[in-house]
């Protein structure tokens, strides 16, 4: 079951100047291949499919709890998109769309700017689409049933997600988009580290497997372990002002548990 709180994961600035073109770009972080719907559904499906959960702890705990956090990321990306769309045109329940004269083309100002479906299909709100308005696709989900494969995939997914967030940060200067990407860049780094640690921990537990032998051989030869791949991609979060408050609050070092009493074995992966 999921416990839901009526608040978003971190504070975003209130609506300011609308930016429908920027809102269309931020859609990539919601419904793109490396967006929050993808991280949410990958980890959710993987967590549903764990057989022998008790024996698979702490890895089951890890995937299940990161899945829950990703739901909150979907929510906060949608909030940022809606913030950026606020005021782009009159909204039905905002400032009296009913009073407008349709013959005066009240939506003409947003034609050719951003995603027309934000205005045609909905009331200037987020959609489960990428930045090209393609719908999110269930084929983005990888759930092989093999823990090492899934963890490796999840590591790669978090890597791509951070890369896309940086690109969006570079493309969109709206304060809501920058606050959003600043927060998600910091949290995504935690997830990458958690998956890498889980993977190396798991491989070490299963001594005798070829992968472990290779991993150990590489470590013996070079001193390298998977966690040494950080940071990847190389994003200087300490130089991004919107990342700094989250770094100061040590959000880049915490893995959340999304239950008051369950999933306590997660500490075995992340301490
Ligand atoms: Mn996320
Ligand atoms: Mn993540």
């Amino acid at each position: 079951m999921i416990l839901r709180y009526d608040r978003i994961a971190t504070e975003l600035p209130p609506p300011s100047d609308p930016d429908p073109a920027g809102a269309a770009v931020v859609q990539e972080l919601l419904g793109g291949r490396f967006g929050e719907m993808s991280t949410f559904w990958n980890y959710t499906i993987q967590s549903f499919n764990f057989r022998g959960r008790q024996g698979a702890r702490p890895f089951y705990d890890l995937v299940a709890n990161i899945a829950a956090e990703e739901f909150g990321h979907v929510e906060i990306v949608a909030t940022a998109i809606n913030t950026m769309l606020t005021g782009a045109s009159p909204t039905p329940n905002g400032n009296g769309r009913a009073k407008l004269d349709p013959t005066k083309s009240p939506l003409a100002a947003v034609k050719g700017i951003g995603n027309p479906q934000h205005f045609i299909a909905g009331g200037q709100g987020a959609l489960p689409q990428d930045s090209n308005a393609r719908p999110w696709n269930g084929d983005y989900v990888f759930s092989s049933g093999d823990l090492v494969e899934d963890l490796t995939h999840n590591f790669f997914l978090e890597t791509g997600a951070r890369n896309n967030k940086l690109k969006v940060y570079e493309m969109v200067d709206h304060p809501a988009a920058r606050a959003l990407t600043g927060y998600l860049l910091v949290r995504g780094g935690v997830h990458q580290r958690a998956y890498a640690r889980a993977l190396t921990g798991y491989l070490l537990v299963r001594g005798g497997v070829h992968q472990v032998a290779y991993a150990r051989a590489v470590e013996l030869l070079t001193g390298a372990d998977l966690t040494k791949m950080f940071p990847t991609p190389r994003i200087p979060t300490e130089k991004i002002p919107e990342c700094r408050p989250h770094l100061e609050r040590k959000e880049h070092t915490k893995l959340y548990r999304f239950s008051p009493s369950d999933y306590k074995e997660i500490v075995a992966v992340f301490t």
Side-chain angles (χ1 to χ4, degrees), residues 105-267:
S105 306
L107 283 175
V110 293
K111 189 178 65 177
I113 302 171
N115 180 352
Q117 293 191 351
H118 280 157
F119 304 91
I120 297 170
Q124 290 182 203
L127 295 167
Q129 300 179 342
D130 69 12
S131 56
N132 276 324
R134 283 180 299 233
W136 181 81
N137 188 332
D139 283 348
Y140 299 153
V141 172
F142 182 87
S143 178
S144 69
D146 181 295
L147 185 57
V148 172
E149 279 186 45
D150 285 357
L151 292 173
T152 311
H153 167 271
N154 296 351
F155 173 81
F156 170 70
L157 182 59
E158 292 286 341
T159 305
R162 295 190 78 216
N163 207 327
N164 283 12
K165 275 157 202 151
L166 181 65
K167 303 270 178 62
V168 168
Y169 183 92
E170 290 173 345
M171 202 176 282
V172 182
D173 60 4
H174 191 280
R178 293 209 145 183
L180 171 79
T181 45
Y183 177 71
L184 293 177
L185 277 170
V186 170
R187 291 303 302 160
V190 177
H191 294 173
Q192 276 184 316
R193 271 193 297 283
Y195 285 127
R197 282 190 199 185
L199 200 57
T200 47
Y202 179 75
L203 291 174
L204 286 171
V205 167
R206 298 179 66 222
V209 182
H210 290 171
Q211 277 171 310
V212 180
Y214 286 130
R216 284 193 175 153
V218 170
E219 193 171 349
L220 210 62
L221 283 169
T222 66
D225 67 50
L226 267 178
T227 58
K228 298 268 165 57
M229 287 163 68
F230 295 110
T232 174
R234 295 185 187 279
I235 297 174
T237 46
E238 66 289 346
K239 286 194 192 142
I240 297 176
E242 289 83 0
C243 287
R244 252 181 247 134
H246 308 299
L247 294 172
E248 277 159 19
R249 279 198 290 273
K250 303 252 181 283
E251 296 275 13
H252 61 306
T253 62
K254 294 174 198 157
L255 196 59
Y256 301 141
R257 260 190 319 116
F258 282 85
S259 166
S261 52
D262 295 335
Y263 302 118
K264 289 193 172 150
E265 289 185 46
I266 199 169
V267 292

Side-chain angles (χ1 to χ4, degrees), residues 36 39 70 73 165:
E36 303 297 345
T39 50
E70 301 298 356
H73 290 182
K165 275 157 202 151

